[in-house]
Amino acid sequence: MTYRAPAEDHRFILEHVVDFAAVAGTDRFAEATPDTAAAILSEAAKLCDDVLAPLNQAGDLHPSRLENGVVRTSPGFAEGYRAIAAGGWIGLAASPDHGGMGLPMALNTAVNEMVSGACLALQLKPLLTQGQIEALEHHASDELKALYLPKLISGEWSGTMNLTEPQAGSDVGALRTKAEPLGDGTYAITGQKIFITWGDSDITANVCHLVLARLPDAAPGTKGISLFMVPKLLPDADGNPGQANSLKVVSLEHKLGIHGSPTCVMQFDGAKGWLVGGPHKGMAAMFTMMNNARLGVGAQGVGVAEAALQKAVAYAQDRVQGPTAEGVPGIIGHADVRRMLAEARAEVFAARAIALACAVAIDMGNATGDAAWQVRAAFLTPIAKAYGTDTGCRVADTGVQVHGGMGFIEETGAAQFLRDARITAIYEGTNGIQAMDLVGRKLADGGEAAFRLIGEVETLAAAARARLPDLANDLWQAAETLREATEALLAQDLNDRFAGAVPYLRAFALVLGSAFHLKAALADPARAPLARVMIRRLLPEHAALLARSRQGAADLYALPPEALAG
């Protein structure tokens, strides 16, 4: 059994669940008609099924390697990347001013998810480039845009993001990389960065690094950080790659998963760089790229979950172990196996819908300038990232369990999904940080954005009572419990909120995901059984999760470190 990209599920969600028609109804995205969207999803699915999915295991078995200072990529990755670039997929949502298609983020998110399911290790390369494109579009000078954007959009060059240092991970403000003015408008960048995804390769003609560094007069902390474009090869007068810049790959990390994706330790020794945005404005520019990446990473989690689930279902249908209910062949006839697969499918749909809803909010904010859409997009981003990646880990783990002992054997391929998915819950801000962002900054408006979403869920549930009363009533009550828990969190101090942030985020995701399932069932009665799995089996977790979210932090700090050590 091979991976099949879920283009039809994306089409259904866009048309019937997250109101993509509103995006297509704007002047900016008027070309994103239903026919155009369907054609894009169909073509992307063909690329995933025929070209990219066959590379997934090869990347795992034959990792990227560093030879004489050059990263050599996994077999077939160069051809796969060129197929992505030749199809215009890197610039799907990029501005037409520099060669992009200018299509909605919702379509880009759907495509990125499918490509992730096909081969996550390779998908990371265009994803980082897409984030760099958006950062340059918003913050770079016209000269930098003209030089870099066409080559990044075409895939001729690729982009990276350089934040983390050995002593500065999530605490970006502790970074030490320096930027010294050279007197000609350029800067000498010196320092070391770690965990740089696709920091080098033998696939593209140039690798363009966005690097966070401090100017000599910089204030301490994040307020003193600037952002610089530092290419591997310095462009010549004609914009072509010229002499080598003063940077190198020191080593590649040996990782649990995504072996085909080179994760580099980068050393910059007076490398020439160009300021992106204003001095000391680096975090604003970098967050443009990171917010893009956070939604993209959430979609990565969903993509891996989809691939792992497809493999688990195929195995469960073929594997025979004992008599099953009603003579259904394969272990898929056993109630507990059916439970695992059904709950996994329900969460994949929920996480996919949340990611697409976030993308639609981004599109509507960009197309209309309406602050309410922008606030909604910001609120949904940490939920999409954390719930999407948690779903990736959860479903991949379930896939191993469905395989039983064979899931623990590498040759079956089930374990690779679990190993690959695990990083997604860590990078672009760990899921704990996403949850703290949700209960901190995202509730700083007094909960207005949260209450607006909760109100919409309650309105949907109330309207659905005539057709699906059991599901509608359960959802309405869950939304009301979420409202009460949100009010309780708002009355707590920040550290007490942080102690309950992770269960609160999952509870919010379960409520939103259940609402999207209910909308799907109203649009297509054939989807009601899956909605019932989500609302009757998974949604009840929300009560326990919200009870945990309200406990505060005192009991956690009552345990001294030595007690935690055992």
Side-chain angles (χ1 to χ4, degrees):
M1 175 263 177
T2 56
Y3 170 78
R4 306 300 296 177
E8 178 56 29
D9 208 42
H10 282 285
R11 185 201 62 77
F12 177 86
I13 293 172
L14 290 172
E15 290 186 6
H16 299 289
V17 178
V18 298
D19 195 18
F20 183 68
V23 176
T26 65
D27 291 340
R28 177 167 177 170
F29 298 119
E31 294 183 4
T33 63
D35 287 345
T36 298
I40 286 171
L41 294 173
S42 177
E43 288 303 309
K46 292 177 185 177
L47 171 72
C48 293
D49 297 347
D50 300 338
V51 179
L52 303 180
L55 303 176
N56 195 45
Q57 194 169 35
D60 190 52
L61 296 175
H62 305 285
S64 299
R65 62 193 189 280
L66 184 62
E67 291 184 352
N68 300 319
V70 177
V71 172
R72 304 297 181 188
T73 48
S74 301
F77 271 37
E79 292 79 7
Y81 176 82
R82 289 173 191 136
I84 294 171
W89 300 111
I90 298 172
L92 190 69
S95 170
D97 293 344
H98 297 283
M101 295 188 191
L103 289 169
M105 180 61 70
L107 289 178
N108 194 53
T109 299
V111 171
N112 280 342
E113 187 219 292
M114 293 192 290
V115 175
S116 299
C119 186
L120 176 60
L122 179 55
Q123 190 268 347
L124 280 158
K125 187 173 179 68
L127 179 73
L128 269 294
T129 301
Q130 288 175 348
Q132 186 173 110
I133 289 167
E134 185 170 10
L136 294 178
E137 285 179 341
H138 283 85
H139 301 284
S141 66
D142 290 342
E143 292 77 12
L144 287 179
K145 290 179 184 178
L147 175 58
Y148 286 92
L149 285 176
K151 293 179 172 63
L152 291 168
I153 289 169
S154 70
E156 182 182 351
W157 295 359
S158 61
T160 73
M161 177 167 54
N162 287 246
L163 290 80
T164 306
E165 299 180 6
Q167 80 293 337
S170 300
D171 182 13
V172 179
L175 68 83
R176 298 171 184 161
T177 299
K178 298 178 180 179
E180 298 284 345
L182 294 175
D184 60 356
T186 65
Y187 299 80
I189 311 300
T190 301
Q192 187 177 94
K193 300 288 184 176
I194 62 173
F195 303 154
I196 308 307
T197 300
W198 281 97
D200 189 43
S201 79
D202 54 2
I203 294 176
T204 50
N206 206 356
V207 181
C208 308
H209 301 283
L210 282 183
V211 183
L212 290 179
R214 292 188 185 282
L215 292 167
D217 60 345
T222 56
K223 293 182 179 180
I225 295 175
S226 301
L227 182 65
F228 300 86
M229 169 60 77
V230 188
K232 173 184 176 181
L233 301 176
L234 297 169
D236 62 19
D238 297 320
N240 298 314
Q243 71 180 75
N245 208 345
S246 300
L247 57 89
K248 63 181 179 181
V249 180
V250 176
S251 62
L252 299 186
E253 304 291 0
H254 300 283
K255 308 188 299 292
L256 177 69
I258 54 170
H259 294 152
S261 170
T263 302
C264 303
V265 176
M266 300 296 304
Q267 181 68 39
F268 299 87
D269 294 311
K272 181 173 287 191
W274 287 260
L275 187 66
V276 176
H280 320 308
K281 304 294 183 182
M283 290 305 295
M286 187 56 78
F287 266 111
T288 298
M289 187 173 183
M290 288 186 68
N291 283 331
N292 175 300
R294 283 172 175 169
L295 175 57
V297 170
Q300 286 180 340
V302 182
V304 176
E306 175 68 43
L309 180 54
Q310 287 186 22
K311 178 173 279 292
V313 170
Y315 182 83
Q317 289 173 323
D318 293 339
R319 176 66 167 169
V320 175
Q321 287 284 285
T324 62
E326 300 178 0
V328 176
I331 62 172
I332 200 168
H334 292 298
D336 186 60
V337 174
R338 187 67 66 91
R339 174 195 62 79
M340 287 190 284
L341 296 174
E343 291 179 356
R345 176 53 65 194
E347 292 222 68
V348 169
F349 180 91
R352 177 174 292 140
I354 289 171
L356 291 176
C358 181
V360 164
I362 291 171
D363 288 329
M364 291 300 293
N366 289 337
T368 67
D370 187 339
W373 281 112
Q374 295 165 352
V375 169
R376 175 175 299 229
F379 189 89
L380 287 174
T381 294
I383 300 176
K385 193 277 179 180
Y387 184 62
T389 57
D390 281 345
T391 296
C393 295
R394 185 186 299 262
V395 173
D397 183 65
T398 296
V400 172
Q401 190 71 17
V402 169
H403 280 76
M406 294 304 295
F408 205 67
I409 304 301
E410 287 288 356
E411 284 78 1
T412 66
Q416 182 188 344
F417 294 121
L418 180 56
R419 291 186 287 100
D420 285 355
R422 190 61 188 85
I423 186 59
T424 63
I426 296 172
Y427 61 24
E428 304 309 332
T430 66
N431 287 357
I433 288 174
Q434 302 303 316
M436 289 190 289
D437 177 50
L438 181 66
V439 302
R441 280 191 292 264
K442 300 309 190 299
L443 291 183
D445 61 356
E448 183 178 343
F451 293 135
R452 186 179 299 115
L453 280 167
I454 294 169
E456 290 176 11
V457 172
E458 291 179 336
T459 299
L460 168 68
R465 281 175 173 149
R467 293 178 57 187
L468 294 167
D470 57 333
L471 302 185
N473 288 332
D474 285 357
L475 178 59
W476 191 93
Q477 187 56 58
E480 188 61 19
T481 305
L482 179 59
R483 179 187 297 277
E484 294 168 358
T486 303
E487 292 170 347
L489 284 183
L490 288 167
Q492 293 180 335
D493 67 35
L494 202 53
N495 203 48
D496 282 335
R497 284 193 215 174
F498 288 166
V502 167
Y504 178 79
L505 185 149
R506 176 164 172 80
F508 213 120
L510 290 176
V511 171
L512 284 180
S514 295
F516 291 137
H517 268 284
L518 182 59
K519 288 187 74 173
L522 292 170
D524 179 4
R527 290 178 177 260
L530 188 62
R532 186 160 279 106
V533 170
M534 182 73 190
I535 294 174
R536 303 308 299 272
R537 289 182 174 272
L538 294 172
L539 180 60
E541 293 178 28
H542 82 281
L545 290 164
L546 292 175
R548 290 168 57 196
S549 76
R550 300 168 68 162
Q551 292 306 303
D555 60 334
L556 303 178
Y557 288 95
L559 286 166
E562 55 269 22
L564 298 175

